[in-house]
Amino acid sequence: MPSADRYNRQILHWGGEKQQQIEAAKVLIAGVGGLGCSVSQLLARAGVGKLYLVDDALIDWPDLNRQLLYTEEDIGRPKLQVAQERISGINSKISVEGIAGRIDENFHCPGDITLVVDCLDNYTSRFNLEESLNSGTFLVHGAIDGDQGQILTIQKGTSQPLIQLFAGSLQPQGNIAAVGANVLTVAGLMANEVFQVIFGEAKLLNRCLILGLGDLHFSFLEV
Amino acid sequence: MIRVEFYSLLRLLLKQEKIDLPAVEDESVGQLLPRIQQQLTTPFLHKLLDENGALIPGTIILVNRRNILHLDKLETPVHNGDVVAFFPPGAGG
């Protein structure tokens, strides 16, 4: 099917030129858990040309309330493997490449990426991801805890680094509260920001969107 | 004036998004904190400081967009027109 047909509903919205930008983009998604499952799916459905997925975890029962790429039959399988299968099934016209392993100090980010999306669940890996980027690379950060979420875009080398901005943050011991509807809301807004970055129109560059989903409160923190 | 902003769970705890305080000459963040608390009905300093008055992890404090841990910590000066933000970020993904 020609991409003009497949994508005609979104082309009605953003036009053919921006669709071409999306199809030329190469995006690395760090973590295919709650946020990463939905962000990767939305980018694949929109036709982002190449997705790199990174994860090291196995699918477990508590993942199923929010990690939309996985089913009961996938319990015990590597998230990365299942995510690649499902994403390829959603859109066989794009390229999906898996990078197995944890994002630690030895992580090497592919050099051809347009931007990276931080769907990770801990700050140590976030700081390692940021460190691995070439200067000038955009990073869309997202995080959630219960009904509180945040989304921020930075550009390596010009923005305040995440490792400085989030110094003094608390990494909770044990599980972090996660409700499917809240996770999907943050993931949808992250995907929207990814498209804006691809278009050269980032809305959250050095401007952290802070979501209170319990009382539907949005605020912005300039950073 | 000094603009003080509260985000996320601190906004919910304090039921306030921001307050304005008159600037005081030669004041630091550490000296500003009790003045902020005086303006609020809900205690919140225990979220920021331990029993010895040292910063505890959980809330980032920004002065004019910069984390005070990368400035002079509680000794970071605050001046008329500055914006001081308190934000306990989420970590999950």
Side-chain angles (χ1 to χ4, degrees):
Chain A
M1 174 177 286
S3 67
D5 288 339
R6 179 178 190 127
Y7 303 121
N8 66 11
R9 301 302 175 89
Q10 64 199 41
I11 290 172
L12 280 173
H13 174 60
W14 53 44
E17 187 176 330
K18 287 183 174 176
Q19 182 62 37
Q20 288 178 359
Q21 290 178 292
I22 284 178
E23 292 177 38
K26 299 173 181 177
V27 178
L28 182 139
I29 299 166
V32 280
L35 296 174
C37 271
S38 290
V39 169
S40 60
Q41 186 173 169
L42 288 166
L43 300 191
R45 289 183 186 277
V48 169
K50 180 162 189 175
L51 295 179
Y52 292 96
L53 309 179
V54 190
D55 208 293
D56 70 340
L58 303 179
I59 298 165
D60 197 3
W61 287 101
D63 299 330
L64 298 188
N65 80 327
R66 65 197 184 284
Q67 300 186 18
L68 297 192
L69 292 175
Y70 313 132
T71 71
E72 292 183 359
E73 292 180 351
D74 301 319
I75 299 297
R77 295 184 65 198
K79 290 184 180 181
L80 189 64
Q81 183 183 3
V82 178
Q84 281 183 265
E85 292 172 6
R86 300 282 146 73
I87 293 293
S88 297
I90 288 168
N91 192 341
S92 61
K93 300 301 183 189
I94 67 169
S95 172
V96 185
E97 184 171 328
I99 302 174
R102 194 162 185 80
I103 296 182
D104 58 18
E105 63 274 10
N106 298 316
F107 180 73
H108 292 288
C109 198
D112 62 344
I113 52 169
T114 310
L115 75 152
V116 302
V117 194
D118 161 19
C119 299
L120 296 162
D121 62 1
N122 70 92
Y123 278 101
T124 301
S125 292
R126 288 184 169 105
F127 300 154
N128 286 324
L129 175 65
E130 176 182 48
E131 178 65 25
S132 75
L133 302 180
N134 293 328
S135 183
T137 303
F138 286 93
L139 181 152
V140 177
H141 156 80
I144 188 159
D145 188 341
D147 60 10
Q148 303 296 307
Q150 78 230 13
I151 305 165
L152 166 69
T153 299
I154 63 162
Q155 185 177 29
K156 175 112 182 246
T158 60
S159 300
Q160 178 174 198
L162 293 182
I163 197 169
Q164 290 187 16
L165 175 62
F166 289 116
S169 298
L170 181 65
Q171 185 63 43
Q173 300 298 309
N175 297 323
I176 296 174
V179 176
N182 293 339
V183 172
L184 264 62
T185 301
V186 174
L189 290 167
M190 290 175 72
N192 181 66
E193 177 66 3
V194 168
F195 297 136
Q196 301 306 317
V197 172
I198 291 170
F199 301 152
E201 300 171 0
K203 301 297 186 292
L204 299 174
L205 182 60
N206 305 323
R207 187 172 188 239
C208 188
L209 171 60
I210 299 172
L211 306 160
L213 296 171
D215 61 349
L216 298 179
H217 186 279
F218 285 27
S219 53
F220 294 93
L221 172 62
E222 307 293 333
V223 300
Chain B
M1 300 294 279
I2 295 168
R3 166 65 54 89
V4 180
E5 300 175 341
F6 307 105
Y7 292 91
S8 189
L9 293 175
L10 277 180
R11 175 185 63 81
L12 290 171
L13 173 73
L14 302 172
K15 299 181 176 60
Q16 253 180 308
E17 289 184 64
K18 58 193 171 191
I19 60 174
D20 289 321
L21 290 173
V24 171
E25 197 170 343
D26 296 329
E27 189 174 45
S28 67
V29 170
Q31 293 167 323
L32 176 67
L33 288 177
R35 284 212 298 136
I36 297 171
Q37 183 64 80
Q38 286 175 3
Q39 300 296 311
L40 303 167
T41 54
T42 305
F44 90 115
L45 289 187
H46 65 287
K47 299 281 187 185
L48 309 178
L49 305 172
D50 66 15
E51 61 274 17
N52 299 315
L55 285 166
I56 55 178
T59 298
I60 62 172
I61 305 174
L62 309 180
V63 173
N64 299 333
R65 306 181 177 204
R66 291 293 176 265
N67 191 320
I68 64 167
L69 292 182
H70 286 274
L71 299 172
D72 287 326
K73 303 183 176 64
L74 288 172
E75 299 304 316
T76 302
V78 283
H79 304 101
N80 191 39
D82 285 353
V83 177
V84 181
F86 297 87
F87 174 36

